[in-house]
Amino acid sequence: MVQISPDSIADRFMRYVQVDTQSDPTSTAHPTTEKQKDLSKLLHRELFGMGITNATTDEFGYVYATIASNSDKKNIPAICFCAHVDTAPDCSGTNVKPIHHRYYDGRDIVLPDDNTQILNTSNSPYLKEHVNYGVITASGLTLLGADDKSGIAAIMEAALFFIQNPSIKHGDIKILFTPDEEVGQGTAKVDMQKLGAAFGYTMDGGEAGSLEDETFSADGATITISGVIVHPGYAKGKLVNALKVAAALMDALPKNEWSPETTEKREGFVHPTAVNGIAEKATLQFIVRDFTNEGLAAHHNRLKNIAENVVAQFPGAAMEYNATEQYRNMKEVLNNYPHVAAYAAEAIQRAGLTVKKESIRGGTDGSRFSYIGMPCPNIFTGMQNIHSKLEWIGTKDLAKASETIVHLSMIWEEKS
């Protein structure tokens, strides 16, 4: 019988979230913050302590380890379970103080370090599923770090289960912990040859039972506006202020559609993320998202046309439009390997849960892994309200995520 203790995995998780690992989107270093390596080194030591003596940590903060096959079968593909050590820069991750509410009674949870931070079933309806079970929150001043230290805890607890239960048959299980996922650099320095996995699973999802085999396709767009600069004292009929052109462009964007705040489900969007410049030149940065490449192209064409029409209203101004590929929908790869997600769905069911097939309005390391040789859907951990002071996770979900890893490894051995 595969059973992971919610209390045991909760203790592990709470230990991990107290390590500050926020990544930095402005840094060009790898990893973007050295403190991410603090958790990498801790995980390395713990893996070694379990008896997984091949664990290594490289200069970039990646942790690699293998639990060797104990099956007589020789044709079992090596599978990888992956989670990221960093937390998002959106909310402080310094001095996280996790609180284990061991038997949530359904009432409001007032976070003690800021009593304006109140978690309840109104602002988080999924809490209703955790009445009489354990819930972990932060104290009100920081995020919790369930994204993605819950994934790390699930993988580590499953690894311990395999070591302690050698009768459970499995093929080679690869473990990978990455830095900088939150700033889009999670696979930047990964050594796929060293990893040596044929297929993978990121443990980086939400509600129990959720399985995600589709992400957005993602691009960046940069619009550079060149104005005409002259001395402002003698500027009449000559000066064209690039900042005013940029402002007009921002104002020309649709107000009630085509943005993150006005779209949902399978709708794509264009989202301005930064405006910088001076009167002579201004730069506007956008992210462009859709589930299809055709949708991405349509968004780019629309944004470029809006920009060209605005710039044309300012004689003398000029613009450049540059698109940059960021990542692509993992489903385009996973459709070629339907058994990878199917095995995950069966594992979730064996863990006693209902499968919730979902599409991610965002991306994961799995998006990039899928395109560099390791098809890689995403599995739940239970994390909720991520990147915020009201972030929380249910301990029974966390335990079920770890059990799913065990079942999934067994399924790969059985079906090979």
Side-chain angles (χ1 to χ4, degrees), residues 220-227 241-247 249-250 271-286 303 307 311 318-322 324:
T222 302
I223 299 175
T224 303
I225 297 171
S226 298
N241 191 321
L243 293 173
K244 291 184 177 180
V245 182
L249 172 51
M250 292 292 289
H271 177 48
T273 59
V275 180
N276 299 284
I278 56 177
E280 183 180 17
K281 182 176 287 187
T283 302
L284 300 91
Q285 302 282 351
F286 296 83
L303 179 59
V311 171
M319 62 161 277
E320 293 182 6
Y321 187 99
N322 289 296
T324 305

Side-chain angles (χ1 to χ4, degrees), residues 197-217:
F199 304 100
Y201 300 90
T202 49
M203 302 300 299
D204 197 12
E207 292 188 11
S210 64
L211 171 63
E212 297 158 329
D213 65 350
E214 183 173 30
T215 61
F216 269 147
S217 286

Side-chain angles (χ1 to χ4, degrees), residues 375-396:
C376 190
N378 189 44
I379 295 174
F380 76 93
T381 68
M383 64 176 84
Q384 298 291 307
N385 296 346
I386 59 173
H387 302 189
S388 79
K389 295 176 182 179
L390 290 178
E391 188 177 4
W392 66 277
I393 191 166
T395 58
K396 68 183 178 78

Side-chain angles (χ1 to χ4, degrees), residues 348-366:
I348 290 169
Q349 291 171 330
R350 288 193 189 184
L353 301 171
T354 300
V355 178
K356 303 171 184 176
K357 206 77 172 287
E358 297 177 347
S359 299
I360 309 172
R361 286 180 59 82
T364 69
D365 276 346

